Amino acid sequence: MEKKALDTTMSHAFMFPMPTVLVGTVVEGRPNYMTAAWCSPACASPPMIAVAINHIRHTTLGIKEQNAFSINVPATRQVVETDFCGIASGNKTDKSGVFTPFYGRLKVPMARECPFNVECGLHTTVDLGSHVLYIGKVEGVFADQDCAPDNNPDPVRIDPIVYIRGKYYRVGDAYADAFTTGKQYKE
Ligand SMILES: Cc1cc2nc3c(=O)[nH]c(=O)nc-3n(C[C@H](O)[C@H](O)[C@H](O)COP(=O)(O)O)c2cc1C
């Protein structure tokens, strides 16, 4: 197949699917939740998560204030609240009531309605240009009772929101096992 060269600003457009998470912070004493799709595991041991946040977001003030943030995984039933937190900024709109906060060790607000929550202490900040990559060390992980049978988070029960270029999707069916399917490869 012949290739066509695209604009380099389109480079993030191929990174799909993406997760849809809510970054929880406290800004000037008020809980704030920001929708983020540029979020990824960053290290297994110690466990770390990275999230890329534009300099202009209200959330950045909260991360600076507390040196901590939470990552909350909403379910598809929370799509309205989740999208709202990606439209409205905490600098103009009080988003503290969109979710019910609960707290772990770090005193960053986690959204009780979201089935999966992680609290992170800020480990490293990498200023990349428009966005700052915040790498957080995981200090606590919480899941709804019915979403983590055998203490393993279950993606079907969590029913996370998948983000792809301006649309929300659901997780589809599994069709192959990772780390074993490749053994069928023959040169
Ligand atoms: C689906 C979706 C994904 C988003 N992902 C990001 C992201 O990864 N990083 C970012 O800086 N902004 C992202 N945004 C934009 C922010 O969520 C939005 O600007 C929000 O109003 C910022 O809130 P704050 O000012 O209260 O922090 C996203 C918005 C939506 C709807």
Side-chain angles (χ1 to χ4, degrees):
M1 179 70 73
E2 283 296 306
K3 294 282 186 187
K4 66 161 106 168
L6 303 180
D7 192 307
T8 54
T9 59
M10 292 300 287
S11 62
H12 66 262
F14 80 97
M15 294 291 284
F16 52 73
M18 297 183 193
T20 311
V21 302
L22 292 153
V23 183
T25 50
V26 172
V27 187
E28 291 161 3
R30 197 164 77 188
N32 190 65
Y33 307 97
M34 182 203 103
T35 311
W38 293 10
C39 181
S40 168
C43 187
S45 180
M48 302 223 195
I49 292 178
V51 58
I53 302 182
N54 194 301
H55 280 280
I56 63 171
R57 309 289 186 237
H58 201 55
T59 295
T60 60
L61 304 178
I63 299 177
K64 275 182 208 136
E65 264 180 45
Q66 281 195 296
N67 273 321
F69 58 89
S70 71
I71 297 290
N72 305 270
V73 179
T76 59
R77 63 181 175 278
Q78 283 125 15
V79 71
V80 172
E81 293 85 346
T82 301
D83 195 53
F84 177 73
C85 289
I87 300 169
S89 172
N91 67 13
K92 289 214 177 74
T93 307
D94 178 358
K95 294 189 273 184
S96 63
V98 179
F99 295 100
T100 313
F102 76 98
Y103 297 89
R105 263 191 330 119
L106 298 179
K107 307 291 172 243
V108 280
M110 288 179 274
R112 185 169 290 284
E113 292 82 355
C114 295
F116 195 74
N117 319 84
V118 182
E119 57 175 344
C120 297
L122 184 61
H123 181 273
T124 308
T125 301
V126 188
D127 189 343
L128 296 167
S130 62
H131 285 61
V132 178
L133 192 66
Y134 293 99
I135 302 172
K137 183 163 172 288
V138 174
E139 298 290 353
V141 178
F142 303 85
D144 282 1
Q145 293 273 5
D146 59 352
C147 287
D150 309 325
N151 290 336
N152 265 323
D154 179 330
V156 174
R157 290 171 191 234
I158 291 174
D159 190 22
I161 305 170
V162 176
Y163 175 74
I164 303 178
R165 300 195 66 189
K167 294 253 186 280
Y168 297 118
Y169 293 74
R170 285 203 153 90
V171 170
D173 296 332
Y175 76 95
D177 288 322
F179 305 110
T180 51
T181 304
K183 291 178 185 166
Q184 296 165 27
Y185 175 78
K186 290 190 185 67
E187 270 184 40

